[in-house]
Amino acid sequence: NQAAAENVFARHDQVDMDAVERELILMGELDEAIGAGQIEVHYQPKLDIAADRIASCEALVRWRHPTRGMVRPDLFIPLAEQADRIGPLTLFVLDRVVNDLQSWRASGLELTAAVNVSAKLVASASFAAKVRDVIESGRVRPEWLILEVTESAALAEPERAAAVLGEWRAMGVSVSMDDYGTGQSTLSYLRQLPLSELKIDRSFVQHAHQNRADALMVRSTVDLAHELGIKVVAEGIEEEACLNFLREVGCDMAQGYHIGRPMPATDFVQRLTNTSLA
Ligand code: C2E
Ligand code: CA
Ligand code: CA
Ligand code: CA
């Protein structure tokens, strides 16, 4: 009957409104979050497999919300992108990474660090200018810095993307293709981009030591990337057997909970200055 149907719709609307409202509130709060010191940068170690040493890390942003607790980046990064707040957020992360790299290097830690750059920012002229400013400021050596982009950034405007990535490489910054394998494009297509590194998505890596198809994908990606002079990072290493497989196929770097979880800078440094690796 009609009353019941209306009721169902009313309740349905209510649910959607709650979700929309929550997003709008979060979006507003995100504006204040940086100034309020609620945004933190955590680091996840990247293991140089052959050297058996932590040589790099990935900066992963965290929002310590005063009432909601830790808000996951998969939740607020897309919001920040929609609300055009991803620029300031990424510049905040970049600035923090530059400061941390300086202090790590000053204490003799030979590390590089990766920053995630959204597709939207790859297309942004003002972000490109900011990256140039940071490099030209001399606060950081460009070789210490890796910028991670996803395929969607490269595919939306291929020529623009190739030009921007080429500019970064010309400055001496490394460029990494993130989440490799999840999109449509092949490595022979991506070869047109000036990449220094390829990160194989964890969905292919996680079971590569026990699944023939995944093993084949990882092995052939490593071989082809190496032929093109591109280093390979495998993400999502959760067990030793997986790391052993990667060593066997000649993968350059490994990242995942088995190596180390994302952690605050102080914990990361402490972990590196202790003798044990894992
Ligand atoms: P991503 O760039 O692919 O980062 C890797 C994600 O995998 C991280 O999630 C990391 O904590 C998680 N991870 C690492 N090792 C393992 C593992 O062994 N097993 C499993 N199950 N997961 C693992 P996180 O930190 O929640 O970040 C999620 C996504 O949010 C990132 O995916 C990235 O796309 C985005 N993101 C994070 N920080 C930033 C940032 O500063 N800027 C931008 N634009 N995006 C960011
Ligand atoms: Ca990444
Ligand atoms: Ca990734
Ligand atoms: Ca991802």
Side-chain angles (χ1 to χ4, degrees):
N1 65 47
Q2 201 179 340
E6 271 169 11
N7 206 10
V8 167
F9 284 119
R11 210 172 310 148
H12 182 75
D13 270 348
Q14 191 59 45
V15 169
D16 283 351
M17 276 317 295
D18 283 351
V20 169
E21 203 176 332
R22 236 187 351 254
E23 289 201 354
L24 284 175
I25 292 170
L26 261 186
M27 228 182 250
E29 291 171 340
L30 185 58
D31 261 345
E32 322 286 317
I34 295 179
Q38 294 165 11
I39 303 293
E40 297 178 8
V41 176
H42 287 200
Y43 294 98
Q44 185 173 33
K46 282 160 78 179
L47 178 76
D48 177 329
I49 298 175
D52 199 24
R53 113 173 221 276
I54 303 298
S56 189
C57 59
E58 177 176 6
L60 292 161
V61 77
R62 299 287 179 260
W63 182 1
R64 197 182 291 276
H65 191 281
T67 57
R68 289 167 214 262
M70 279 290 190
V71 183
R72 297 177 46 186
D74 337 24
L75 206 95
F76 70 88
I77 293 288
L79 278 182
E81 284 169 350
Q82 280 164 38
D84 267 329
R85 308 308 297 157
I86 192 68
L89 189 64
T90 306
L91 288 175
F92 172 81
V93 174
L94 183 63
D95 188 61
R96 180 59 52 85
V97 166
V98 164
N99 283 336
D100 287 336
L101 277 168
Q102 275 184 317
S103 79
W104 297 339
R105 290 281 171 161
S107 53
L109 294 171
E110 297 204 350
L111 288 165
T112 61
V115 172
N116 288 286
V117 181
S118 295
K120 273 203 166 176
L121 285 183
V122 173
S124 146
S126 67
F127 183 74
K130 288 284 182 9
V131 171
R132 180 168 290 282
D133 286 350
V134 168
I135 297 304
E136 287 178 350
S137 74
R139 291 165 60 217
V140 65
R141 291 258 218 94
E143 313 88 80
W144 301 347
L145 209 56
I146 303 156
L147 297 177
E148 290 189 9
V149 301
T150 55
E151 209 176 296
S152 56
L155 298 185
E157 280 183 83
E159 275 163 30
R160 165 99 191 128
V164 171
L165 305 192
E167 233 181 277
W168 294 345
R169 288 300 302 278
M171 287 189 263
V173 172
S174 295
V175 176
S176 180
M177 176 61 58
D178 204 356
D179 300 347
Y180 178 72
T182 56
Q184 295 304 308
S185 51
T186 58
L187 190 47
S188 52
Y189 178 79
L190 294 175
R191 179 167 60 111
Q192 296 164 24
L193 295 170
L195 300 177
S196 359
E197 183 187 279
L198 199 67
K199 295 186 84 169
I200 307 180
D201 192 72
R202 74 162 177 266
S203 55
F204 298 96
V205 173
Q206 243 159 0
H207 307 291
H209 57 292
Q210 55 197 21
N211 175 296
R212 281 175 59 97
D214 290 348
L216 184 64
M217 188 277 188
V218 172
R219 194 187 292 271
S220 56
T221 300
V222 169
D223 289 347
L224 186 53
H226 283 172
E227 267 179 53
L228 299 171
I230 298 172
K231 298 241 184 245
V232 183
V233 183
E235 317 186 288
I237 285 65
E238 294 184 352
E239 44 191 316
E240 185 70 20
C242 185
L243 181 58
N244 289 335
F245 166 80
L246 294 169
R247 187 178 292 115
E248 209 175 281
V249 302
C251 184
D252 303 283
M253 306 260 252
Q255 181 180 346
Y257 295 164
H258 178 67
I259 321 284
R261 292 195 174 242
M263 57 192 118
T266 47
D267 295 358
F268 180 54
V269 167
Q270 202 165 36
R271 154 91 193 268
L272 288 176
T273 43
N274 290 343
T275 42
S276 75
L277 255 180

